[in-house]
Amino acid sequence: MTVIEVLSGVLLAAGAFFVVTGAVGLVRFPDFYTRIHAVGVTDSAGAGLILLGLLLRTTEWEVGLRLLIILLFMVITSPTAAHTLAQAARRDGVPVWRAGDTRR
Amino acid sequence: MIGSHYVYWLTFALMMIGLYVVISHGNLIKKLIGLSLFQVAVFLFYISLGKVDGGTAPIITEGTQTYSHPLPHVLILTAIVVGVATLAVGLALVVRLFESYGSLEEDEILRRDTTDRDGVAS
Amino acid sequence: MTAFVLVNISLFAILGATALAITRMRALYEATMLTALFSLVTGSLFVLLDAVDVAFTEAAVGVGISTVLLLGVLSLTRSREAVTPRRRRLPAALVVLFAGGALGYAAQDLPPFGSATTPVRDHPVTETYLVQSQQDMGIPNTVTSVLASYRGLDTLGELVVVFTAGVTVLLLLGPLTRRNHPVKKDLVLADYRVLRVVSGVLMPFILLFALYVLFHGDYGAGGGFQAGVIFASGFVLYGLVFGLDRVQQVLPQAVLWVLIPLGLLLFMGLGVATVLLGGSFLDYDTLRPDDTAAGQRLGILLVETAIGLTVATVMTSVFFSFTGRGASR
């Protein structure tokens, strides 16, 4: 096993970890805004680290270029989606959870 | 037996969930959703019949000998697009029905049809 | 138990859970989003089962177009389902149990999953598709060569169905049946500045990607059907964000009405041309008698373009019909 393979494995594992934490957050967090925060982690840290880990394993530059393009579009689109969802919820008047409130 | 046929049984289970939605639910949009679940399960069944152990996608490359069968892929690829086109027709009919009857529930629409015919209420 | 089986079973478990949640859910917006999730997971399963072209189509169609259509209809109608009465549930459960039992019993006669010696595999046509196609046309992606050449007539039939469905939706909801009510000025997504800027930036890339998928279908996953759907989703995104009026300035209804039959006519015209050149219907060898493989590639390219044209315009005008209906209510 080379250094690159170990590094890629670590990145993939970290990415998988962030995806799982995002899922746990989606179930456990009390209101809409905190849940969106959790899901944002899945898209940015989770998918981003997995793509970086895969990038270290590629041998052909064409595949690497495609992974980089995917990464670029994920970086553009996923914050946009999260931002728009949160802004739409605010415009609709979804209340923000405060400590002591019940789960919604 | 279980090891070699489990995929078929799992696709049948999904198909039956879709069929249950189509039969039991009265809401027309829900029926269409159930129909598309059923349809996707049928697609999965077709594709699983083309899979070969140790095969790869049927794109010919150097150094690969085993490929999954391309024919189910071709059939299902076109069927997916035809499926969404027919879904659009179904949805258009639903919209027209809602505009005429003001309801999406099958029972409600049927009741209004029968009362109209008897001249009880129109 | 191999990793392949494990991943398969977990994906099927997610699919089953999603399907059960859809049956129980009475809020139809949520059910629609879960249907999109169902399609996405199915796409992953298709990749596992080596059907990359199918996975591509399912992801573009199931997650993109059909979700948007369902949401559009929900905004036109009612998004809450009535409670399903018990008298409807019992017969449905009986039918499902009986049919599922019959299917499961019959499945015992199917060849084992993944077997290399099934009747489908042993048929000589497999050899034609996987080996002979490399001499006939020299296209690595056998799905494309089967779709556009070996079974071109079949694909023509499918395209006719898509065309007919598109025309039906136009007749049911289209501008011809539009009622003239004052247009309700609704909140448009273009009020969100971030969304407006990002979708404006992404729009050319989506269309470029659609072209790449169309012309790269010979070598990798992709082809006319996927490209058409991606084209349409680009225009759907633009219409969702900037409103129907803006997108119809870019792509007027009249242009769509010309383009919808044009793709189909191109496909059929190619068939007629090959007959006139002395071959059989859709026999692309006659296009270049000196170099039949090049003729095949030319024919496949034309057919994929025709498919892309009709699918893209049908999907876009279906979306226009649904949203136009909402604007005129």
Side-chain angles (χ1 to χ4, degrees):
Chain A
M1 266 218 299
T2 61
V3 179
I4 298 241
E5 275 180 20
V6 174
L7 197 61
S8 142
V10 170
L11 283 175
L12 287 176
F17 171 75
F18 277 115
V19 172
V20 173
T21 51
V24 171
L26 188 66
V27 178
R28 294 287 299 161
F29 275 157
D31 78 334
F32 181 80
Y33 300 101
T34 45
R35 279 185 209 136
I36 262 204
H37 163 73
V39 173
V41 171
T42 312
D43 268 359
S44 51
L49 286 174
I50 287 177
L51 282 174
L52 283 179
L54 289 177
L55 198 59
L56 291 180
R57 286 182 183 237
T58 50
T59 50
E60 297 159 53
W61 66 272
E62 294 102 328
V63 181
L65 185 67
R66 277 175 205 164
L67 285 175
L68 277 179
I69 294 177
I70 296 174
L71 190 62
L72 175 72
F73 281 111
M74 286 224 56
V75 165
I76 298 176
T77 51
S78 101
T80 311
H83 171 85
T84 313
L85 271 177
Q87 210 176 19
R90 260 198 61 193
R91 205 182 277 218
D92 270 6
V94 176
V96 178
W97 182 84
R98 308 268 174 221
D101 287 4
T102 49
R103 279 173 57 89
R104 275 187 280 270
Chain B
M1 190 79 216
I2 291 174
S4 61
H5 283 66
Y6 70 101
V7 171
Y8 305 139
W9 287 330
L10 289 172
T11 55
F12 293 153
L14 290 178
M15 273 183 220
M16 288 308 118
I17 295 177
L19 184 64
Y20 175 79
V21 176
V22 174
I23 299 175
S24 71
H25 285 254
N27 186 295
L28 293 173
I29 293 183
K30 196 65 175 281
K31 269 185 198 289
L32 283 173
I33 291 178
L35 201 61
S36 58
L37 292 188
F38 187 92
Q39 179 179 301
V40 168
V42 173
F43 295 162
L44 271 174
F45 176 59
Y46 257 77
I47 297 293
S48 67
L49 283 174
K51 168 75 183 166
V52 177
D53 274 335
T56 60
I59 298 173
I60 309 291
T61 43
E62 301 255 333
T64 314
Q65 293 302 319
T66 322
Y67 299 100
S68 291
H69 203 284
L71 190 57
H73 301 185
V74 174
L75 298 178
I76 296 312
L77 168 61
T78 53
I80 289 175
V81 179
V82 168
V84 73
T86 47
L87 174 75
V89 175
L91 289 173
L93 287 171
V94 164
V95 169
R96 289 299 292 267
L97 275 172
F98 183 78
E99 285 173 359
S100 318
Y101 290 86
S103 170
L104 285 180
E105 302 296 327
E106 193 182 46
D107 296 344
E108 173 76 23
I109 291 172
L110 284 175
R111 186 161 61 237
R112 291 217 16 204
D113 261 358
T114 44
T115 47
D116 274 356
R117 196 168 44 230
D118 298 342
V120 177
S122 64
Chain C
M1 191 185 262
T2 59
F4 174 72
V5 177
L6 201 65
V7 174
N8 249 346
I9 300 231
S10 351
L11 284 179
F12 267 109
I14 297 176
L15 282 182
T18 315
L20 286 177
I22 291 173
T23 60
R24 296 186 59 82
M25 209 158 251
R26 284 178 52 215
L28 292 174
Y29 275 112
E30 280 86 335
T32 304
M33 296 323 289
L34 282 182
T35 316
L37 174 70
F38 191 87
S39 288
L40 204 59
V41 179
T42 320
S44 320
L45 256 173
F46 283 147
V47 175
L48 272 183
L49 298 174
D50 298 341
V52 281
D53 280 276
V54 184
F56 200 169
T57 320
E58 178 68 38
V61 166
V63 184
I65 301 288
S66 67
T67 308
V68 168
L69 290 183
L70 276 169
L71 291 179
V73 169
L74 286 178
S75 74
L76 287 179
T77 56
R78 195 168 291 157
S79 63
R80 191 95 194 144
E81 187 192 1
V83 184
T84 307
R86 185 175 295 271
R87 63 175 171 77
R88 293 187 70 113
R89 283 189 203 158
L90 189 65
L94 283 178
V95 169
V96 161
L97 278 180
F98 182 73
L103 278 176
Y105 176 70
Q108 290 178 333
D109 292 343
L110 283 172
F113 173 65
S115 159
T117 55
T118 62
V120 185
R121 294 286 315 174
D122 292 340
H123 195 277
V125 83
T126 311
E127 196 70 8
T128 311
Y129 290 162
L130 287 177
V131 181
Q132 185 68 33
S133 75
Q134 297 309 300
Q135 281 114 51
D136 281 354
M137 46 205 84
I139 288 178
N141 188 353
T142 51
V143 174
T144 301
S145 47
V146 176
L147 180 92
S149 183
Y150 291 122
R151 296 186 70 98
L153 192 63
D154 210 6
T155 310
L156 178 62
E158 307 266 14
L159 201 63
V160 173
V161 177
V162 172
F163 170 79
T164 315
V167 171
T168 313
V169 172
L170 280 179
L171 287 176
L172 280 169
L173 295 181
L176 299 178
T177 61
R178 177 174 292 176
R179 296 166 301 173
N180 288 319
H181 286 299
V183 174
K184 185 179 63 177
K185 188 62 192 164
D186 207 0
L187 175 85
V188 272
L189 284 169
D191 295 348
Y192 298 110
R193 184 182 296 150
V194 175
L195 194 61
R196 192 174 64 221
V197 172
V198 170
S199 53
V201 168
L202 285 181
M203 180 75 183
F205 290 104
I206 296 175
L207 299 186
L208 190 68
F209 182 58
L211 285 177
Y212 167 78
V213 168
L214 180 61
F215 295 118
H216 198 259
D218 294 0
Y219 304 100
F225 281 101
Q226 292 96 324
V229 174
I230 294 171
F231 255 118
S233 59
F235 286 109
V236 166
L237 173 71
Y238 197 80
L240 280 177
V241 173
F242 293 97
L244 195 60
D245 298 336
R246 285 284 299 279
V247 73
Q248 285 193 333
Q249 282 173 8
V250 183
L251 195 68
Q253 194 88 47
V255 173
L256 280 179
W257 285 10
V258 174
L259 288 181
I260 290 176
L262 192 67
L264 197 58
L265 287 176
L266 182 62
F267 203 149
M268 288 178 173
L270 188 64
V272 174
T274 53
V275 172
L276 290 180
L277 284 169
S280 51
F281 194 70
L282 291 175
D283 173 14
Y284 313 135
D285 283 353
T286 54
L287 294 175
R288 289 278 300 273
D290 49 324
D291 183 0
T292 50
Q296 286 283 347
R297 286 200 291 274
L298 177 66
I300 289 175
L301 189 66
L302 286 174
V303 163
E304 293 278 9
T305 313
I307 295 169
L309 200 59
T310 292
V311 170
T313 46
V314 162
M315 293 301 158
T316 314
S317 46
V318 162
F319 168 74
F320 282 3
S321 318
F322 278 108
T323 35
R325 196 77 175 177
S328 65
R329 278 159 66 89

